[in-house]
Amino acid sequence: MQFEDRLTETARRIEGELQRLLSGEKVAEAPVQLVQAMRHAVLGGGKRLRPFLVLESAALFDVPTDRALPAALAVELIHGYSLVHDDLPAMDNDTMRRGRPTVWTEYNEWTAILAGDALQALAFEFLADCASGLPPAVSVALTVELSRASGVNGMVGGQALDLEADKLGRPENPDAGHVSRLQAMKTGALIRFSCEAGAIIATADPTTRTALSEFGRHLGYAFQIADDLLDAEGDEQRVGKALAKDAAAGKATLVSLLGLEAAKAELRNTVENAKAALLPFGAKAKTLVSAAEFVAYRDN
Ligand code: GRG
């Protein structure tokens, strides 16, 4: 099967699972508008890249899809919550996401804050729930790693550094080192977790787990350079949100600091590093190799 068909098939599966989760018993007694906002946040869009990485990294070890699903859904719920909060007026103040009004625009700010909070809690409940069928040690390891990736030294910490730069002008002159550290935390950590998750689920040996984690590190970096390039050169219709925001805000990005051509060269180099990390897996890693190219050269 072609890479893009595989990604589409996984996206369909994830959509169905999220649909079931967000209309099932876990939310049956919850306030109606809150659940509607949660559904608006995570259903009907998105590439589902992070769950795809979880399922494909698990497939390297012949782990059945069902066994990898709890981690795949948990990381997508965390991603969904982060987008809802990132779009808020206090943060990025965005009105469009995935070609639709953002949650705070469709409902209101407090509903968007609470929907994000609830999605985050649901992610961890789902991952830690014995009903997931994961052995307890695996469930705990995934919960710890996802907390780290999404918390103060990961996504939330990276978002704080980004907002400090945007809103407080701190540091005054961010260099490429600062920007890439910030991005490794803000967006890279969750992507890295997604790649490492397969090895955790398969209880792979530490060297193998490190190889996937390194792949994820390079992939996260490639994702961010590609995102900066899309902001600079992408098509708003394809991307489904306002673009050219970084330049308009005078924001330091890898593109503004390195220049367009050097950023593209850095991206090509990063894709090669990502592929090199997969060498121990041989031909089995074909789909993850394609994922690196997709992430780097996507148009949305
Ligand atoms: C609010 C704690 C908190 C964190 C927000 C991830 C993030 C941190 C903010 C998102 C801002 C942003 C647009 C960053 C660029 C990279 C990124 C995460 C893009 C969106 O991810 P995709 O392309 O989105 O995987 P889809 O819609 O395909 O799921």
Side-chain angles (χ1 to χ4, degrees):
M1 197 189 290
Q2 291 290 316
F3 172 79
E4 302 229 355
D5 294 335
R6 215 172 153 97
L7 182 59
T8 306
E9 192 180 282
T10 297
R12 206 172 293 130
R13 171 96 196 252
I14 297 299
E15 176 80 15
E17 295 289 340
L18 289 172
Q19 180 75 260
R20 196 162 13 193
L21 182 64
L22 290 171
S23 50
E25 59 171 27
K26 283 195 192 296
V27 296
E29 308 289 322
V32 173
Q33 180 171 291
L34 178 63
V35 178
Q36 281 170 347
M38 292 163 76
R39 292 171 61 85
H40 183 97
V42 299
L43 298 179
K47 295 179 287 298
R48 312 301 192 192
L49 176 67
R50 294 154 193 80
F52 181 77
L53 293 169
V54 174
L55 299 184
E56 291 298 336
S57 67
L60 286 177
F61 307 94
D62 300 318
V63 169
T65 303
D66 280 356
R67 203 175 172 86
L69 260 179
L73 295 179
V75 73
E76 189 65 8
L77 291 169
I78 295 284
H79 172 60
Y81 120 70
S82 80
L83 297 180
V84 173
H85 281 190
D86 184 66
D87 289 334
L88 285 164
M91 297 208 196
D92 228 22
N93 195 20
D94 274 308
T95 56
M96 292 298 282
R97 160 90 49 200
R98 297 172 172 167
R100 292 184 301 155
T102 50
V103 177
W104 76 269
T105 326
E106 182 76 11
Y107 297 91
N108 51 51
E109 283 183 56
W110 54 265
T111 302
I113 293 169
L114 294 173
D117 291 341
L119 287 169
Q120 174 171 213
L122 187 60
F124 287 110
E125 179 192 342
F126 197 59
L127 199 54
D129 195 337
C130 302
S132 70
L134 290 168
V138 169
S139 182
V140 168
L142 288 168
T143 305
V144 168
E145 292 305 327
L146 184 56
S147 311
R148 286 190 180 133
S150 57
V152 75
N153 292 308
M155 184 180 74
V156 171
Q159 179 79 345
L161 290 177
D162 202 10
L163 292 175
E164 279 178 17
D166 266 9
K167 305 203 186 273
L168 307 174
R170 276 204 313 245
E172 239 174 74
N173 294 305
D175 58 12
H178 179 79
V179 172
S180 56
R181 175 171 165 257
L182 176 168
Q183 294 179 339
M185 293 165 71
K186 187 176 108 167
T187 45
L190 223 49
I191 291 177
R192 192 173 183 173
F193 165 82
S194 305
C195 297
E196 195 178 349
I200 299 174
I201 298 163
T203 57
D205 63 77
T207 312
T208 308
R209 183 166 156 178
T210 302
L212 272 175
S213 172
E214 277 300 285
F215 168 68
R217 185 169 69 83
H218 295 303
L219 189 69
Y221 188 40
F223 183 95
Q224 193 56 58
I225 304 172
D227 207 68
D228 290 351
L229 285 167
L230 275 177
D231 192 71
E233 296 190 309
D235 176 326
E236 274 191 15
Q237 291 291 104
R238 286 286 306 148
V239 181
K241 64 173 188 178
L243 295 179
K245 285 190 70 178
D246 294 346
K251 185 170 175 175
T253 68
L254 291 166
V255 170
S256 73
L257 291 169
L258 304 176
L260 262 180
E261 288 319 308
K264 286 179 185 172
E266 180 83 348
L267 180 57
R268 285 192 295 274
N269 198 25
T270 305
V271 172
E272 291 314 307
N273 290 338
K275 287 184 190 170
L278 292 175
L279 285 175
F281 301 99
K284 270 201 132 176
K286 190 171 143 256
T287 306
L288 288 179
V289 168
S290 303
E293 277 162 2
F294 169 81
V295 159
Y297 308 122
R298 69 205 151 95
D299 63 1
N300 73 344

